[in-house]
Amino acid sequence: MKISIDLDDSLAENEICIHVKKITETVSRLVEKISTDGEAESADGFSSMITGRKEETVTFLKPQNIVRIYSLQKKVYAKAFDNDIEQDDYELSQRLYQIEELMKEEDFKKFIRISNTDIVNFDYLKNMDMSLNGNIVMNLTNGERVFVSRRYMKDIKAKLKIR
């Protein structure tokens, strides 16, 4: 790997440019590390950002744009808005338990684990369907329906302040 640093006094702020043949796990981890350290933290006013990958592009996901984080076939994805209208699924390098650790930080306070496979942002919660057969379903503002595990219901009720 070749590393070079160019000093340029004319820059208004530091800029990092990474040239790669293809996105690898190492490159993703490097981008994630850079995006959450030092000056990159305060660039958008977030102490934490999640990096997601879609095809060959790495995107920095702001917590307020993430609808839900879920695992599917041993991979972890974030459903997020890239603008106010379009939403996409981004593959994450973290595991769900690592995302759960982020939920202790201020930017991720609106997230809660609802099952072994799902973490939801409460800003996108439309309503909850508590049917008589015992199934609990969260209807999200983007039209998705996600099932809630009874195991996590106590924490969800506490966060929503319901009985």
Side-chain angles (χ1 to χ4, degrees):
M1 181 185 318
K2 179 181 160 187
I3 299 175
S4 62
I5 298 176
D6 296 321
L7 297 175
D8 186 350
D9 292 336
S10 66
L11 291 175
E13 62 181 316
N14 289 335
E15 179 180 311
I16 297 174
C17 183
I18 301 173
H19 302 274
V20 295
K21 260 186 180 176
K22 71 178 208 171
I23 302 284
T24 63
E25 186 67 29
T26 303
V27 171
S28 293
R29 282 196 308 266
L30 177 64
V31 169
E32 184 177 328
K33 179 69 176 153
I34 291 169
S35 70
T36 58
D37 281 349
E39 294 177 24
E41 283 182 14
S42 59
D44 285 329
F46 294 100
S47 61
S48 302
M49 290 178 79
I50 295 177
T51 55
R53 189 167 76 194
K54 183 178 176 193
E55 296 165 12
E56 294 297 312
T57 305
V58 174
T59 303
F60 302 102
L61 304 173
K62 296 176 184 175
Q64 78 237 27
N65 294 343
I66 300 173
V67 177
R68 68 186 268 245
I69 299 167
Y70 63 97
S71 65
L72 180 67
Q73 298 175 347
K74 298 186 180 185
K75 292 185 179 182
V76 178
Y77 300 92
K79 170 87 62 186
F81 287 96
D82 24 353
N83 53 44
D84 290 334
I85 301 166
E86 293 182 38
Q87 60 183 342
D88 277 312
D89 292 304
Y90 297 89
E91 186 176 340
L92 308 180
S93 58
Q94 300 104 321
R95 302 270 134 249
L96 281 179
Y97 74 89
Q98 293 169 317
I99 302 291
E100 211 168 8
E101 284 296 312
L102 279 176
M103 291 173 8
K104 296 174 185 169
E105 297 180 21
E106 190 61 35
D107 294 335
F108 289 89
K109 289 286 186 195
K110 302 244 176 153
F111 288 80
I112 191 163
R113 185 101 181 229
I114 64 163
S115 69
N116 286 339
T117 59
D118 276 286
I119 296 173
V120 171
N121 182 344
F122 273 152
D123 281 344
Y124 293 96
L125 176 62
K126 185 176 178 181
N127 59 44
M128 287 176 52
D129 181 12
M130 298 178 161
S131 65
L132 295 174
N133 65 5
N135 290 334
I136 303 162
V137 178
M138 282 188 172
N139 295 304
L140 305 178
T141 57
N142 67 347
E144 287 187 284
R145 294 170 47 91
V146 289
F147 288 89
V148 177
S149 169
R150 286 190 201 102
R151 174 179 168 196
Y152 295 95
M153 202 56 208
K154 182 178 178 184
D155 293 337
I156 294 167
K157 284 182 175 182
K159 189 140 187 155
L160 291 174
K161 298 178 179 141
I162 58 174
R163 292 186 205 177

